[in-house]
Amino acid sequence: MGIMETPHMAERAAYSLDPRLAADTHPVLSIGLCTLLLKDDSRWPWLILVPQRANMREVHDLTPLDQAMLSFETTLVSEMLARLTGCHKINTGALGNVVEQLHIHVVARNIGDANWPGPVWGHGASRPYAPDAAQGLISRMRQAF
Amino acid sequence: MGIMETPHMAERAAYSLDPRLAADTHPVLSIGLCTLLLKDDSRWPWLILVPQRANMREVHDLTPLDQAMLSFETTLVSEMLARLTGCHKINTGALGNVVEQLHIHVVARNIGDANWPGPVWGHGASRPYAPDAAQGLISRMRQAF
């Protein structure tokens, strides 16, 4: 006996996290639309939101409802990260020049940090967290939500 | 005779464009919340949205309604720029590490352009448009809206 699949089910099943995003991040939690990841680079507290929708490259590829959700979730994450870190400035960006799967960066910046006041993208080599440090930060983020 | 000013009027009167943003951009048009500017750097088609609200540094400093408007206007501008340029990828970002007045970058990127696939921010020196070229691009953008 076959299983009935609606086009809607097939579309949802097709979402999967790009392996390059998975490889250099730690999972934090799943929000409504997005999965939230911590980039494994201790130079800056750096979060990444990935809308759990297949085949999205640009924010304007999302439905209007998903666009509104993404904006809401990005702002939530920005506020949480600013509160948790006491940072000087939040930097957000959606580039996708290397990994095309739609993803939004939210980074806590401080005066004098690596490449300040330049951008975080494309600057030098990642400095991975010690395992305990990443898990400690992730725990505090989960509590802050 | 004095003029009655409500607190609301006083708050709105306090918005003004940061002189550094004004100095290296051309005005394109005023949308609902934002003023739209063309960065005077011909290396990339580069637009900047500035919410016309005083004393805003972060997206989450805006009211929820203004946040929704900003998201909507950023997406509109991204779509228009992608359609107009036929670019490979849109890059958006809100940094504010140098000019703290809240502003959103929307940049059309192409494979092999200056600093591809790295970011546009902090890369080399601006290459201003010839006056006719800037005005031609601005006219096409105004028509595209």
Side-chain angles (χ1 to χ4, degrees):
Chain A
M1 297 283 285
I3 296 173
M4 291 271 293
E5 279 202 14
T6 65
H8 179 70
M9 286 172 68
E11 188 194 318
R12 288 183 60 94
Y15 164 80
S16 66
L17 183 61
D18 186 287
R20 289 163 295 180
L21 287 176
D24 62 1
T25 62
H26 300 277
V28 178
L29 53 87
S30 181
I31 331 182
L33 172 64
C34 296
T35 185
L36 183 64
L37 309 167
L38 172 68
K39 188 158 166 80
D40 194 17
D41 188 343
S42 61
R43 295 175 295 171
W44 312 275
W46 181 339
L47 293 167
I48 299 176
L49 293 105
V50 185
Q52 298 173 86
R53 297 286 184 260
N55 305 320
M56 297 290 135
R57 289 177 73 232
E58 303 282 4
V59 173
H60 59 256
D61 292 338
L62 294 168
T63 65
L65 177 59
D66 281 350
Q67 290 172 23
M69 285 289 287
L70 178 60
S71 165
F72 178 71
E73 293 180 5
T74 304
T75 305
L76 264 187
V77 166
S78 300
E79 266 191 297
M80 179 277 288
L81 188 61
R83 201 171 60 235
L84 195 72
T85 63
C87 64
H88 176 71
K89 191 72 190 65
I90 292 289
N91 286 185
T92 63
L95 286 78
N97 301 341
V98 178
V99 174
E100 292 202 338
Q101 181 174 56
L102 179 60
H103 59 287
I104 316 296
H105 304 273
V106 179
V107 189
R109 302 299 306 273
N110 286 292
I111 295 169
D113 70 13
N115 207 37
W116 179 265
V120 296
W121 303 284
H123 177 73
S126 292
R127 193 175 307 146
Y129 285 98
D132 286 358
Q135 286 312 313
L137 184 53
I138 289 167
S139 294
R140 287 190 291 135
M141 285 173 176
R142 286 177 180 155
Q143 284 165 3
F145 260 96
Chain B
M1 296 283 285
I3 296 171
M4 290 271 295
E5 280 204 11
T6 65
H8 179 68
M9 287 173 68
E11 188 195 318
R12 289 184 60 95
Y15 164 79
S16 67
L17 183 61
D18 186 288
R20 289 163 295 181
L21 287 176
D24 62 2
T25 62
H26 300 278
V28 177
L29 54 87
S30 183
I31 331 181
L33 172 64
C34 296
T35 185
L36 183 64
L37 309 168
L38 172 68
K39 189 157 167 81
D40 193 18
D41 188 343
S42 61
R43 295 176 296 171
W44 311 277
W46 181 338
L47 292 168
I48 299 176
L49 293 105
V50 185
Q52 297 173 86
R53 297 285 184 261
N55 304 319
M56 297 290 135
R57 290 177 73 233
E58 303 282 5
V59 173
H60 59 258
D61 293 338
L62 294 169
T63 64
L65 178 59
D66 282 350
Q67 289 171 25
M69 286 289 288
L70 178 60
S71 166
F72 177 73
E73 293 180 4
T74 303
T75 305
L76 264 187
V77 166
S78 299
E79 266 191 298
M80 179 277 288
L81 188 61
R83 201 171 61 234
L84 194 72
T85 63
C87 64
H88 175 71
K89 189 72 190 67
I90 291 290
N91 286 185
T92 63
L95 286 79
N97 302 340
V98 178
V99 173
E100 292 203 338
Q101 181 173 56
L102 180 61
H103 59 287
I104 316 296
H105 304 272
V106 180
V107 189
R109 302 299 304 273
N110 287 293
I111 294 168
D113 70 12
N115 207 38
W116 178 265
V120 296
W121 304 283
H123 177 73
S126 292
R127 193 175 307 146
Y129 285 98
D132 286 359
Q135 287 311 314
L137 185 52
I138 289 167
S139 294
R140 287 190 292 134
M141 285 174 178
R142 286 178 180 154
Q143 285 167 1
F145 260 97

